[in-house]
């Protein structure tokens, strides 16, 4: 069994459902320490984070800093009986490695570790610094104590990152056929529309919040928030939850709650989206309360960026494919690193089975992935 496959299996066996780490970071930290990395364990609340760095410039801070970014936590498996094999027992069938986290993203983490071990062994006096940042709080709902919190620590200590490769599963049909060069921002709202509860036979004595909200919802859904731009599609607005009523068929509810989300690029700002939403709600005269949560601003590594071009070249030469350069998909922890001034690119295995029953990664892709990450290191720091 290859080093990367063996390490991936060791990580999959650890039931590290958010925010549990289940020993993944200790295993990785011990390996990288033996390879000569400086290890910093950063625990905030219930969340474990690891920052491992290598380079002669560790003390002086000179030279560029290349960081690899990943997470060891996984989403719940769901009913284990629905899996063909136990989700936390790595199993190889027909050239595929099955297990929760195989693709998202313990396979990439294993590949990063092996690539870094190989790189520093071959280039012990490389220029600048190379690092690996891992968290056990990427899949959670808030991400408060993961990379978001580590970045606050970095700002305090003056830590710098120039280039960041995120191991999220980016590929669609072939390894290296798509890389993420940016991500949309995510802005969520929790809305309460207040009415007056009453009997359905006496609507004049009540105020139905469903009826009151319906025209406003139609206006929000029909609004053109922006046209997008060359790098990002138009902003989308989606209601994910809507609830009102007591369960009784003869009671007008006293309140309605709605959860909604904007996914937006650089054509809009979070402040503008908030202001326009609230203007629509006020225009319709709603008695309401609205709480906002900005989980991440959009970011983009522009064409011509050193890291972006390096990753494109590596995919072309090692995978034999010209990768699509995309800003689609959801969010990633790259959104916390980009504000440090870093170029951020995501490169990883196929994403077809992530978060699904029988999640898997092709063994052949997993065994090729360290070479891609190592090549990025060698071109930037070798």
């Amino acid at each position: 069994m290859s080093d990367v496959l063996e390490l991936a299996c060791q990580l999959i066996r650890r039931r590290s459902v958010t925010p549990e780490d289940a020993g993944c970071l200790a295993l990785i930290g011990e390996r990288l320490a033996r390879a000569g990395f400086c290890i910093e364990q950063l625990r905030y609340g219930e969340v474990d984070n690891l920052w491992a760095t290598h380079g002669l410039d560790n003390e002086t801070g000179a030279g560029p800093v290349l960081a690899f970014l990943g997470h060891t936590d996984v989403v719940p498996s769901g009913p284990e009986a629905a899996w063909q094999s136990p989700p936390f027992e790595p199993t190889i069938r027909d050239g595929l490695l099955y297990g929760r986290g195989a693709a998202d993203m313990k396979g990439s983490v294993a590949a990063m570790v092996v690539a870094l071990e190989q790189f520093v062994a071959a280039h012990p006096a490389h220029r600048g610094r190379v690092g690996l940042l891992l968290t056990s709080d990427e899949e959670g709902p808030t991400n408060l104590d993961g990379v978001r919190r580590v970045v606050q620590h970095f700002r305090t200590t003056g830590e710098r990152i120039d280039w960041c490769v995120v191991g999220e599963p980016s590929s669609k049909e072939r390894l290296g056929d798509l890389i993420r060069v940016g991500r949309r921002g995510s802005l969520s709202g929790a809305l309460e529309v207040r009415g007056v509860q009453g009997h359905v036979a006496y609507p004049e004595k009540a105020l139905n919040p469903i009826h009151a909200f319906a025209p406003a919802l139609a206006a929000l859904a029909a609004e053109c928030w922006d046209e997008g731009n060359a790098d990002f599609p138009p902003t989308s607005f989606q209601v994910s939850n809507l609830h009102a009523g007591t369960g009784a068929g003869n009671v007008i509810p006293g309140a309605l709650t709605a959860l909604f989300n904007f996914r937006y690029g650089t054509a809009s700002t979070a402040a503008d989206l908030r202001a326009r939403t609230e203007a629509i709600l006020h225009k319709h005269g709603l008695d309401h309360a609205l709480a906002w949560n900005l989980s991440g601003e959009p970011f983009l590594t522009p064409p011509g960026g050193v890291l972006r071009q390096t990753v494109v070249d590596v995919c072309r030469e090692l995978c034999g494919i010209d990768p699509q350069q995309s800003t689609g998909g959801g969010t990633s922890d790259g959104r916390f690193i980009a504000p440090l001034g870093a170029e951020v690119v995501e490169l990883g295995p196929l994403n077809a089975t992530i978060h699904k029953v029988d999640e898997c990664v092709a063994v052949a892709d997993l065994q090729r992935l360290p070479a891609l990450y190592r090549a990025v290191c060698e071109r930037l720091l070798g």
Side-chain angles (χ1 to χ4, degrees):
M1 185 176 291
S2 66
D3 284 349
V4 65
L5 183 56
E6 181 177 1
L7 179 54
C9 289
Q10 291 175 339
L11 295 175
I12 291 170
R13 287 192 183 96
R14 287 162 168 79
R15 193 179 289 263
S16 55
V17 178
T18 307
E20 293 295 328
D21 171 63
C24 292
L25 294 184
L27 171 66
I28 293 167
E30 291 170 3
R31 283 187 63 139
L32 292 180
R34 291 194 298 270
F37 281 73
C38 296
I39 306 299
E40 188 174 3
Q41 300 281 356
L42 300 169
R43 182 172 176 84
Y44 304 109
E46 298 180 342
V47 176
D48 291 298
N49 305 283
L50 173 74
W51 176 229
T53 58
H54 185 281
L56 297 178
D57 298 320
N58 262 359
E59 294 183 2
T60 66
V65 180
L66 167 63
F68 288 83
L69 175 62
H71 62 89
T72 56
D73 61 316
V74 298
V75 297
S77 65
E80 294 196 12
W83 289 65
Q84 296 184 58
S85 53
F88 295 100
E89 181 53 48
T91 305
I92 297 175
R93 295 193 305 274
D94 301 323
L96 300 173
L97 172 63
Y98 288 85
R100 176 57 85 219
D104 189 14
M105 57 176 291
K106 291 181 175 181
S108 294
V109 169
M112 290 174 174
V113 172
V114 170
L116 291 172
E117 291 172 336
Q118 293 175 350
F119 171 69
V120 301
H123 306 275
H126 61 82
R127 74 187 188 102
R129 289 188 298 147
V130 64
L132 177 64
L133 176 57
L134 299 175
T135 184
S136 66
D137 185 32
E138 194 274 344
E139 298 288 7
T142 61
N143 311 113
L144 293 178
D145 292 323
V147 175
R148 186 198 299 264
R149 181 67 179 81
V150 173
V151 166
Q152 296 175 13
H153 170 70
F154 283 176
R155 292 187 185 278
T156 300
T157 60
E159 183 63 86
R160 189 182 83 254
I161 296 177
D162 299 290
W163 305 306
C164 180
V165 176
V166 188
E168 289 291 344
S170 62
S171 303
K172 294 193 302 182
E173 297 178 2
R174 292 175 52 194
L175 180 65
D177 66 358
L178 186 146
I179 63 174
R180 304 284 183 195
V181 297
R183 291 277 193 165
R184 295 174 295 175
S186 178
L187 175 66
S188 297
L191 173 68
E192 179 186 20
V193 178
R194 294 180 285 258
V196 177
Q197 184 173 308
H199 197 293
V200 294
Y202 302 94
E204 71 278 5
K205 297 181 180 180
L207 174 60
N208 193 322
I210 301 174
H211 294 188
F213 181 52
L217 175 58
L220 290 167
E223 181 76 4
C224 177
W225 301 96
D226 59 50
E227 299 290 343
N229 53 33
D231 299 305
F232 291 94
T235 291
S236 66
F237 168 85
Q238 288 294 314
V239 175
S240 58
N241 284 268
L242 190 66
H243 176 76
T246 65
N250 59 353
V251 178
I252 295 171
L256 173 148
T257 58
L259 303 180
F260 59 86
N261 177 265
F262 289 100
R263 293 300 166 104
Y264 67 102
T266 51
S268 290
T269 66
D272 180 58
L273 295 173
R274 287 194 296 261
R276 291 171 62 186
T277 300
E278 290 167 359
I280 291 173
L281 297 176
H282 285 295
K283 178 181 178 180
H284 288 82
L286 298 181
D287 180 9
H288 71 280
L290 178 55
W292 292 100
N293 176 43
L294 177 62
S295 64
E297 297 275 11
F299 69 88
L300 176 70
T301 296
V306 174
L307 178 63
R308 179 168 171 172
Q309 189 59 52
T310 297
V311 174
V312 169
D313 291 343
V314 166
C315 290
R316 285 172 177 163
E317 295 175 24
L318 298 188
C319 299
I321 192 168
D322 193 5
Q324 179 183 347
Q325 301 171 51
S326 169
T327 59
T331 59
S332 78
D333 277 349
R335 70 191 189 275
F336 304 127
I337 301 297
L340 292 174
E343 295 182 23
V344 179
V345 174
E346 301 179 20
L347 170 63
L350 274 63
N351 62 17
T353 64
I354 62 174
H355 292 206
K356 293 183 178 181
V357 168
D358 291 331
E359 178 182 352
C360 62
V361 64
V363 172
D365 288 349
L366 183 59
Q367 292 177 328
R368 294 170 62 199
L369 197 51
L372 273 64
Y373 293 148
R374 177 178 172 177
V376 173
C377 292
E378 290 177 335
R379 292 166 191 241
L380 295 176
L381 300 180

